[in-house]
Amino acid sequence: MATMQMEPELAKHLFFEGATVVILNMPKGTEFGIDYNSWEVGPKFRGVKMIPPGIHFLHYSSVDKANPREVGPRMGFFLSLQQRGLMVLRWNAVLEEVDLSPAPEAEVEAMRANLQELDQFLGPYPYATLKKWISLTNFITEATMERLQPESRQICAFSEMLPVLSMRHTKDRVEQNLPRCGTECKSYQEGLARLPEMKPKAGTEIRFSELPTQMFPAGASPAEITRHSMDLSYALETVLSKQFPGSPQDVLGELQFAFVCFLLGNVYEAFEHWKGLLNLLCRSEEAMGKHHALYVNLISILYHQLSEIPADFFVDIVSQDNFLTSTLQVFFSSARSVAMDATLRRKAEKFQAHLTKKFRWDFEAEPEDCAPVVVELPEGVETG
């Protein structure tokens, strides 16, 4: 890990008050990072010291010993570290991952007593990027972290997938009305249909809140279905009351958690959840008036998130279907309403001006949402 300049008083304070994470036996050449910084591990690496208390994301990629240029998928885990805390972890050479099992208390205390001798093998926390990290995670509480992280606590860029039905034997395929394995496919579609249905290995999924697929209440009239499909406040309130009862601001912690998992953990499913949650928040005009403090904080979160994404990210992913610009266009249109809180209205105007200047996005063109909305009515509901 590269050395960094730090004021002596700050360094002394962090040395005695900061947390330490010891990682034993991590192979040389492994790509390792904490929060917004990463390095290539050297032969003396034993962990990180002087870590400010709070939520942190440690991530790594194993390297092929025979071919160091071959880097494995990124893996990572969140930690909630306390003042003067010490965590001792080990590298599992068989699984090529950090073993998150807690070390025996006696070993931890022995390591604590030996910290000064261990100091030369510990890299200092990259304090220069701490403010940036806090701006990306200030709504992620320890409770949010525990609720969302996988049961295994390991977050992998590519989840291990298993077939829903093993179908190891010919009779298993016969029972599912599937042809024998050696039977030739007659079309591309048939080939796709033969592929087994897959699901993530139990305990490895990030436990995101389930977002509704139906945006209106059961028994809604055609007019109500149309209204709830244009203003998603009913669906958002359903999520807030079910997943965040009494604390709707916690939805912002989940938004940040998803963003960090995508940006630093390379988890594409997290990006899809971030999109879904953001879409729900930005297209809920009635909820904006009710939860104006939440939306003021949402603007601050988006300001920092969009500042950290590389410029080509928008070209390669977001601009593919123009998701972000069209979603924010609806949000800014709602925020301009005279019924909205004045603070929210002013902050939305400044944020829109900032994005227009930085990315040259046009929020004044007529949005696609102004086109007639085609709503699928539930079976049995008639327009009369």
Side-chain angles (χ1 to χ4, degrees), residues 182-347:
T183 308
E184 184 178 352
C185 293
K186 296 179 180 179
S187 68
Y188 177 72
Q189 286 72 22
E190 182 184 341
L192 289 177
R194 284 198 202 178
L195 293 174
E197 183 183 352
M198 307 294 285
K199 64 178 180 180
K201 182 180 179 181
T204 64
E205 288 181 283
I206 301 175
R207 295 173 290 179
F208 289 126
S209 299
E210 185 176 351
L211 302 184
T213 54
Q214 179 173 301
M215 302 301 174
F216 47 86
S221 67
E224 290 172 331
I225 291 172
T226 300
R227 177 167 61 86
H228 289 307
S229 297
M230 295 179 69
D231 183 340
L232 305 185
S233 295
Y234 169 79
L236 176 60
E237 292 291 357
T238 301
V239 172
L240 295 180
S241 61
K242 182 179 179 181
Q243 303 291 343
F244 312 99
S247 185
Q249 294 270 350
D250 287 348
V251 71
L252 300 177
E254 181 160 337
L255 189 74
Q256 289 185 326
F257 190 96
F259 187 80
V260 168
C261 287
F262 172 65
L263 185 68
L264 301 179
N266 299 342
V267 181
Y268 184 74
E269 291 80 2
F271 172 65
E272 288 297 321
H273 187 73
W274 179 80
K275 280 172 57 177
L277 205 51
L278 187 60
N279 182 65
L280 204 56
L281 287 163
C282 288
R283 297 179 185 271
S284 299
E285 183 172 356
E286 186 178 325
M288 288 174 63
K290 179 180 177 182
H291 303 288
H292 54 83
L294 184 154
Y295 279 89
V296 167
N297 288 324
L298 173 64
I299 292 174
S300 295
I301 287 173
L302 289 176
Y303 172 84
H304 292 294
Q305 288 182 344
L306 300 187
S307 296
E308 297 308 321
I309 295 179
D312 59 358
F313 175 83
F314 298 109
V315 176
D316 294 340
I317 300 178
V318 178
S319 295
Q320 179 181 333
D321 57 5
N322 209 22
F323 160 78
L324 198 55
T325 51
S326 61
T327 301
L328 290 176
Q329 191 171 25
V330 175
F331 172 70
F332 291 138
S333 176
S334 299
R336 283 196 294 267
S337 169
V338 293
M340 289 299 166
D341 173 74
T343 302
L344 172 60
R345 197 164 61 244
R346 285 194 302 271
K347 195 157 187 175

Side-chain angles (χ1 to χ4, degrees), residues 77 136 146 163 175 181 229 233 336 373:
F77 50 93
L136 293 175
E146 294 292 346
E175 290 173 0
C181 288
S229 297
S233 295
R336 283 196 294 267
V373 178

Side-chain angles (χ1 to χ4, degrees), residues 5-187:
Q5 297 297 319
M6 188 183 298
E7 294 180 8
E9 285 302 313
L10 175 60
K12 184 178 179 181
H13 173 78
L14 287 175
F15 179 80
F16 289 106
E17 303 299 323
T20 302
V21 175
V22 174
I23 305 177
L24 302 174
N25 306 322
M26 181 171 276
K28 175 185 175 182
T30 302
E31 291 185 4
F32 170 81
I34 179 170
D35 301 342
Y36 214 73
N37 292 78
S38 60
W39 311 266
E40 183 178 305
V41 166
K44 296 182 178 181
F45 176 79
R46 297 292 183 276
V48 185
K49 62 184 177 180
M50 303 160 68
I51 307 173
I55 302 293
H56 297 279
F57 184 61
L58 283 75
H59 43 92
Y60 57 92
S61 298
S62 60
V63 176
D64 190 332
K65 294 180 180 178
N67 186 2
R69 294 184 178 180
E70 290 291 329
V71 180
R74 178 164 288 187
M75 298 188 69
F77 50 93
F78 283 87
L79 293 177
S80 178
L81 299 175
Q82 308 301 316
Q83 188 175 22
R84 302 184 187 181
L86 172 62
M87 181 164 289
V88 179
L89 304 171
R90 276 185 169 77
W91 180 261
N92 185 319
V94 176
L95 299 178
E96 293 190 315
E97 65 182 34
V98 176
D99 185 349
L100 300 181
S101 305
E105 190 62 32
E107 181 182 0
V108 174
E109 290 309 311
M111 197 75 71
R112 188 186 300 278
N114 197 40
L115 268 183
Q116 287 203 340
E117 286 74 16
L118 193 64
D119 180 68
Q120 61 180 314
F121 304 108
L122 302 174
Y125 179 85
Y127 187 78
T129 57
L130 178 61
K131 288 183 179 179
K132 183 187 295 185
W133 172 248
I134 291 174
S135 73
L136 293 175
T137 58
N138 57 327
F139 283 91
I140 303 178
T141 63
E142 184 172 357
T144 297
M145 179 192 79
E146 294 292 346
R147 180 176 65 84
L148 294 175
Q149 67 181 353
E151 293 176 8
S152 66
R153 296 174 58 202
Q154 296 275 11
I155 294 172
C156 186
F158 299 103
S159 300
E160 183 177 349
M161 306 296 288
L162 298 174
V164 175
L165 300 172
S166 60
M167 292 188 289
R168 295 177 180 175
H169 307 288
T170 301
K171 66 180 181 66
D172 298 326
R173 299 185 64 82
V174 172
E175 290 173 0
Q176 297 298 319
N177 295 318
L178 293 172
R180 296 174 67 91
C181 288
T183 308
E184 184 178 352
C185 293
K186 296 179 180 179
S187 68

